[in-house]
Amino acid sequence: MPTPVILDCDPGHDDVFAIWLAAGHPALDLRAITTVGGNGRLEHTTYNARVVTELAGIAGVPISAGAGAPLVRTLAPADWIHGANALGGPVLPEPVVAADRRPAIDLIRDTIDDSAEPVTIVATGPLTNLALFVRAYPDRLPGIREIVWMGGSTGRGNVTPYAEFNAWCDPEAASIVLAGGLPFTMVGLNVTHQALVTPDVITRIDAIGNKTAAFGVELLNFFNATYEADQGMPEGPLHDPVAVALVAQPGLVTTVRTRIDVELHGAETAGATSVDLIDKLKRPPNAHVATGLDVEQFWRLVENAIRRLS
Ligand code: BDR
Ligand code: CA
């Protein structure tokens, strides 16, 4: 039986590949997509999710909009990487299917209620929606098998020297979700920076030859250009599908159990994830953290998923 999955995302170039991998991998049953303000404002991330699901021929997966802004901070969209509409590069075809009218947390609730087994939530944006869900529906938490989040880092950051973007965007939300006690796995920059979009990766995706692949190549070329300009990395790291891959093929991403806390107050370090890999603080572990990735197998998964789409 495929694993039932909800994807909470802020598309964003790499979120798009997370959507495609979640929809195109046979071990996963993508039941719902929820969107959050992050890489772009909510109207853009929701629109983009609709565009890329429809373009890829993914039908019957409701998409609903969630929080437009972090819990207490001001949204600062990552337009320096993803462009003004959060999905720079290709021309976006106008989607036909409307967004689901339910707020994201209600779609998550209903998806859990409708599932015979607990649902895995993969989050690839700021954790605002999930923090709101934890607060609004504590009685539904047993219906969540685990949360797998692309965010944070065991080392340095990417938006500030010590903070990764998704954590930095809404650190209070990340802290609330961690405190919620659900099984939680963090897939941070220390691992996603191995999933580099090399020229070979682009060639292989291009060779798939379908509409999804062609659109994907346009996304990857834009992404690599902005990553080179902003981060000095001409081969950008495709972060978000790594979190999906961990659920699709356990073992492809190695993890260790540890303690994660989120820095909420540091003048220079707000949003940094403090990952106590050497158990220095003697606090109870509250999460798993990703430590390794089978890079070749990861790209094979992405390719095969895209091949199954339109
Ligand atoms: C994360 O931030 C966003 O820009 C990407 O979509 C990814 O989720 C990487 O720091
Ligand atoms: Ca993202």
Side-chain angles (χ1 to χ4, degrees), residues 78-149:
D79 48 11
W80 58 91
I81 295 290
H82 297 280
N85 67 350
L87 211 52
V91 174
L92 304 186
E94 179 75 28
V96 174
V97 180
D100 193 284
R101 294 172 74 93
R102 287 168 285 185
I105 61 168
D106 289 1
L107 177 58
I108 295 173
R109 176 201 61 200
D110 293 349
T111 306
I112 289 170
D113 289 353
D114 291 345
S115 178
E117 54 176 312
V119 175
T120 296
I121 302 182
V122 179
T124 61
L127 288 175
T128 321
N129 287 342
L130 300 191
L132 294 169
F133 184 83
V134 165
R135 288 272 164 93
Y137 297 118
D139 56 322
R140 298 315 210 285
L141 300 190
I144 299 175
R145 185 198 302 278
E146 64 170 326
I147 293 172
V148 179
W149 177 49

Side-chain angles (χ1 to χ4, degrees), residues 9-12 14-15 39 124-125 166 240:
C9 57
D10 61 336
D14 50 338
D15 300 80
N39 284 328
T124 61
N166 290 337
D240 292 339

